[in-house]
Amino acid sequence: MATHGGPPTVTDLDVGGVDGPRFVGRRRQRVSWRSTAIAAASAVVFFGALGWIVVNAPGWDAFRESFLDPRIFWGSLPDVIKGFWTNVRLFLIAEVLILVLGLLVAVLRSLPGPVFFPVRLLATAYVDLFRALPGVLVIFMLGFGIPGLGIAGVPVEPFFWAIVTLTLLYSAYVSEVYRAGIESVHPSQDAAARSLGLSRFQSLRHVVVPQAVRRVIPPLLNDFIGLQKDTVLVSFIGVVEIFRTAQIKQAATFNFTPYLAVALVFLVVTIPLARFTDWLVARDRAKAAAGTR
Amino acid sequence: MTAAPAPALRIEGLHKSFGDLPVLRGIDLLVAEHEVVCLIGASGSGKSTLLRCVNLLEEIDAGRIFVAGEEITAPKVDVDRIRRRIGIVFQAFNLFPHMSVLENVSLAPRKVLRRSRADAEREALELLERFGLADKQGEFPDRLSGGQQQRVAIVRALAMQPDLLLLDEITSALDPELVAEVLDVIRGLAAGGMTMVIATHEMSFARDIAGRVCFLDGGRILEEGPPDRMFSAPLEERTQQFLERIIAAGRL
């Protein structure tokens, strides 16, 4: 067809005949083609204008030299990736510990009855404390403070305290996610379990928590995207990881391009994880819709 | 041997309030072994609460409850041990949605009675077979019809071999065409001598199966008696009014 857009022409009707749905189908296809074209054109215009403004900025040449040096980029990338391996190890070890500690705190906070009041109080205080403090502060205080006490047998390695800090910080958040999940399981499930003679703990272990965990997997993954990025915080206490590696490179070359390499590494790892989380949420939603019928 | 066996269930002066709202106001009830007692009455008359109290799912305010002669409302009693002997089936089935039918039925025998997985699953399968559900053993609850889910819930309660079975309006959440398959199961259990206390809105079923019918009104048992007399010649005016409304609604 020569013309795109505009009202349906005689040609459209002739090709489709009097077959209504076919005509509608063709029209819908054409409309979607049009919106794609408009979206593409507006993107080109917008980003083109933005690029033009940046490239023509007074400091562009200096910026390009200190942030976008291809030689330094490729030269620093291998070491940056090697540094990232430390972040991966931090992330993997801390994540396992967070999943365990977060669940433990959530369960402790969910224990009913006056007997468990001190336990609930402690768990609540822990969550409040570590959600209130900025992560950098906790890293400094634990990473420098505790080894500084010089108590015999207490580890002094920054890597150890990095794991401890990340675990304490994120378990507070994750325990709240778990707790929301536990509270979303209907009390009739616990009643059914208890009526069969299962103890309070057995009901939690076999009936409530498995259902709760299933429901909170997407928000948990979301927190882990945050954790992945926050592993760079531990560079402040001297763990040589991706950010620290880039800092060293920057100091040696007086050039900021290594940070660009860091940014790209994080984009490459984090965006797929974010998409995966979106996919999981969408799948769960579809499943829930099918379940209610 | 003792002279007379203790009744399966004895309730004395049971009171229960939710906040300021009194729900049970002095319930006395005696259920003999192998007896089937149906509780009837309007919604909010306390039928469900009474059953939940017997299973210790609600804390009671006053009164005492004995099961096979043992006071289960005594302080310091081990509630988990008591609940093992009392099965309850709920209106909304309350199956565990993350477990297959077989796992639903075998969970409590494994975790509470400490049976091995193999033994528990073999016995669960035998029970499922008995109730025509063997082919559903691998399904998850949301793949079953309401009637099948409720039958699984009954099997799950029976797997603990309870001395007493409490049924809390177990057909109220079912489509009418699925009610019969569930009631047939209960008839079979009654014929087998299971002691049951049944809260129900199915009057013809109650008439059919009950050894005794209790009419609850305002948190009290206003009238009780054999089903024939209760349904044909109720003594109390409130009972008459209730049954008239039921007949008008076409439920008897």
Side-chain angles (χ1 to χ4, degrees), chain A residues 126-193:
Chain A
Y126 158 73
V127 172
D128 284 354
L129 182 69
F130 281 92
R131 284 203 306 177
L133 291 173
V136 180
L137 272 181
V138 179
I139 297 232
F140 270 127
M141 289 195 283
L142 292 182
F144 289 139
I146 296 186
L149 288 172
I151 301 168
V154 172
V156 295
E157 296 86 24
F159 189 83
F160 174 84
W161 290 106
I163 296 277
V164 170
T165 309
L166 289 174
T167 304
L168 287 176
L169 278 174
Y170 269 84
S171 295
Y173 286 99
V174 165
S175 80
E176 286 297 274
V177 172
Y178 274 129
R179 198 162 68 98
I182 288 174
E183 280 170 11
S184 78
V185 176
H186 198 270
S188 64
Q189 285 288 308
D190 183 57

Side-chain angles (χ1 to χ4, degrees), chain A residues 219-262:
Chain A
L220 279 182
L221 281 176
N222 207 32
D223 274 348
F224 284 133
I225 292 172
L227 171 67
Q228 209 172 53
K229 293 186 297 175
D230 276 356
T231 51
V232 302
L233 286 178
V234 306
S235 63
F236 286 109
I237 57 170
V239 177
V240 182
E241 41 67 77
I242 187 167
F243 184 65
R244 190 88 186 130
T245 307
Q247 269 183 324
I248 293 166
K249 294 273 171 199
Q250 181 254 318
T253 59
F254 301 105
N255 191 292
F256 293 97
T257 307
Y259 291 134
L260 185 72
V262 172

Side-chain angles (χ1 to χ4, degrees), chain A residues 188-200 202 206-208 210-211 214-215 291 293, chain B residues 55 57 79-80 83 86 88 90 94-99 107-108 111-112 114 142 156-157 160:
Chain A
S188 64
Q189 285 288 308
D190 183 57
R194 302 301 307 278
S195 78
L196 289 165
L198 270 73
S199 68
R200 179 168 286 157
Q202 285 175 322
H206 298 291
V207 174
V208 178
Q211 294 183 57
R214 248 158 258 219
R215 286 178 202 186
R293 266 175 292 217
Chain B
N55 206 22
L57 288 172
V79 294
D80 296 334
R83 290 202 184 104
I86 309 172
I88 185 165
F90 301 94
N94 299 4
L95 291 177
F96 307 131
H98 60 300
M99 294 183 186
L107 176 72
K111 299 302 168 190
V112 179
R114 302 269 161 220
D142 64 357
R156 181 175 70 175
M160 292 298 286

Side-chain angles (χ1 to χ4, degrees), chain B residues 135-157:
Chain B
D135 57 326
K136 305 292 180 196
Q137 56 165 310
E139 297 279 11
F140 284 81
D142 64 357
R143 307 280 300 168
L144 303 180
S145 74
Q148 289 166 340
Q149 289 191 51
Q150 194 57 294
R151 277 151 62 204
V152 172
I154 294 168
V155 170
R156 181 175 70 175

Side-chain angles (χ1 to χ4, degrees), chain B residues 21-248:
Chain B
L21 181 76
V23 179
L24 300 178
R25 300 190 296 177
I27 297 275
D28 296 293
L29 182 65
L30 211 62
V31 180
E33 225 178 306
H34 309 305
E35 195 182 9
V36 175
V37 171
C38 279
L39 308 175
I40 62 170
S43 297
S45 58
K47 306 186 296 288
S48 291
T49 307
L50 176 56
L51 294 185
R52 290 176 67 89
C53 286
V54 172
N55 206 22
L56 303 178
L57 288 172
E58 304 287 352
E59 267 181 50
I60 68 170
D61 298 334
R64 301 203 291 174
I65 303 174
F66 298 82
V67 170
E70 183 187 358
E71 188 187 349
I72 65 171
T73 44
K76 305 242 172 194
V77 76
D78 177 2
V79 294
D80 296 334
R81 187 176 57 81
I82 300 296
R83 290 202 184 104
R84 265 174 242 169
R85 300 156 51 192
I86 309 172
I88 185 165
V89 182
F90 301 94
Q91 179 176 348
F93 328 138
N94 299 4
L95 291 177
F96 307 131
H98 60 300
M99 294 183 186
S100 70
V101 165
L102 190 64
E103 288 167 324
N104 262 281
V105 176
S106 58
L107 176 72
R110 281 174 54 209
K111 299 302 168 190
V112 179
L113 303 179
R114 302 269 161 220
R115 312 298 299 261
S116 73
R117 179 187 274 269
D119 285 352
E121 290 190 344
R122 201 192 54 245
E123 286 162 24
L125 197 55
E126 281 170 14
L127 269 178
L128 287 168
E129 237 157 50
R130 220 176 97 200
F131 292 95
L133 291 160
D135 57 326
K136 305 292 180 196
Q137 56 165 310
E139 297 279 11
F140 284 81
D142 64 357
R143 307 280 300 168
L144 303 180
S145 74
Q148 289 166 340
Q149 289 191 51
Q150 194 57 294
R151 277 151 62 204
V152 172
I154 294 168
V155 170
R156 181 175 70 175
L158 291 176
M160 292 298 286
Q161 301 184 315
D163 303 328
L164 172 65
L165 193 59
L166 312 171
L167 307 175
D168 186 6
E169 303 198 14
I170 59 168
T171 57
S172 298
L174 296 178
D175 293 335
E177 76 269 23
L178 301 176
V179 168
E181 63 179 271
V182 172
L183 294 186
D184 283 345
V185 168
I186 304 305
R187 280 195 190 91
L189 291 177
M194 175 67 77
T195 313
M196 288 186 282
V197 181
I198 305 174
T200 186
H201 284 298
E202 304 285 340
M203 295 306 152
S204 53
F205 169 70
R207 177 179 229 165
D208 217 39
I209 194 175
R212 191 151 43 101
V213 173
C214 301
F215 174 65
L216 267 76
D217 186 64
R220 287 196 187 88
I221 295 180
L222 196 67
E223 182 175 1
E224 61 179 291
D228 283 345
R229 192 204 38 83
M230 283 289 285
F231 288 115
S232 56
L235 302 175
E236 299 283 337
E237 201 189 327
R238 301 276 302 167
T239 319
Q240 288 164 15
Q241 287 168 352
F242 173 74
L243 289 174
E244 273 161 21
R245 280 204 307 276
I246 294 283
I247 290 164

Side-chain angles (χ1 to χ4, degrees), chain A residues 58-87:
Chain A
W60 167 246
D61 286 330
F63 176 87
R64 200 173 53 180
E65 264 171 43
S66 50
F67 280 91
L68 303 173
D69 187 323
R71 206 174 43 82
I72 292 181
F73 179 83
W74 292 112
S76 61
L77 192 60
D79 281 343
V80 162
I81 290 175
K82 222 162 83 190
F84 187 62
W85 174 236
T86 304
N87 295 70

